[in-house]
Amino acid sequence: MLLARCLRHPGRLARSFVSKGVRARHASSSSPLVQPHPLPAWATIDPYTAGRSEGPGQAMNLVSGEWQTTKQSEEIVDPLTGDTMFLVPDTSSEESTQFTTNLQNVPRSGVHNPFKNPERYNMLGDVSAAAAR
């Protein structure tokens, strides 16, 4: 019912939002831009320039705690300029054997099992309780 009323009188709905202080923000507004944070050491691309100045960003696979590239990569194209924005790993079946061997090394009950390490879960419960205070 409310939706039907809003569809019949869209101007009234817009006036009610404006009267309540809800205003639309446009890209061309004169509000200052958010200051970017410094990039961490592991970042391969600046999200604020999105690969326009330093070349395409490189995504990698995390295998056994180390970042690794693959033999082949797939390009992600920037829809505005047509240039390559990111290079994403195209992992082949030979390269994926590292993932399967790592999965076979995980215990059947998982790594984060509260029954096998109750002290850790009690400690995390204390941390959550302290954060809630």
Side-chain angles (χ1 to χ4, degrees):
M1 173 118 171
L2 178 62
L3 180 61
R5 194 178 305 159
C6 293
L7 292 175
R8 278 184 278 166
H9 305 287
R12 184 183 305 163
L13 179 67
R15 283 192 299 274
S16 70
F17 277 126
V18 171
S19 67
K20 290 183 172 85
V22 178
R23 300 205 189 280
R25 296 192 69 122
H26 299 288
S28 62
S29 68
S30 61
S31 65
L33 294 174
V34 176
Q35 294 296 324
H37 298 286
L39 289 178
W42 51 264
T44 61
I45 188 168
D46 184 3
Y48 302 102
T49 60
R52 283 177 248 134
S53 60
E54 68 273 351
Q58 177 71 43
M60 297 181 199
N61 290 331
L62 183 63
V63 181
S64 301
E66 295 181 12
W67 292 105
Q68 297 180 358
T69 59
T70 56
K71 294 177 185 173
Q72 295 181 345
S73 297
E74 192 170 327
E75 296 179 351
I76 305 296
V77 178
D78 186 354
L80 296 176
T81 63
D83 296 333
T84 302
M85 193 164 68
F86 301 107
L87 294 173
V88 183
D90 187 13
T91 308
S92 65
S93 59
E94 297 88 28
E95 294 170 328
S96 66
T97 57
Q98 298 173 357
F99 296 111
T100 56
T101 56
N102 286 341
L103 285 173
Q104 291 170 350
N105 292 334
V106 175
R108 186 172 182 198
S109 60
V111 185
H112 303 287
N113 190 337
F115 296 114
K116 288 189 174 183
N117 195 359
E119 299 85 18
R120 173 100 174 137
Y121 276 80
N122 288 332
M123 186 268 305
L124 291 175
D126 294 339
V127 169
S128 296
R133 287 185 223 142

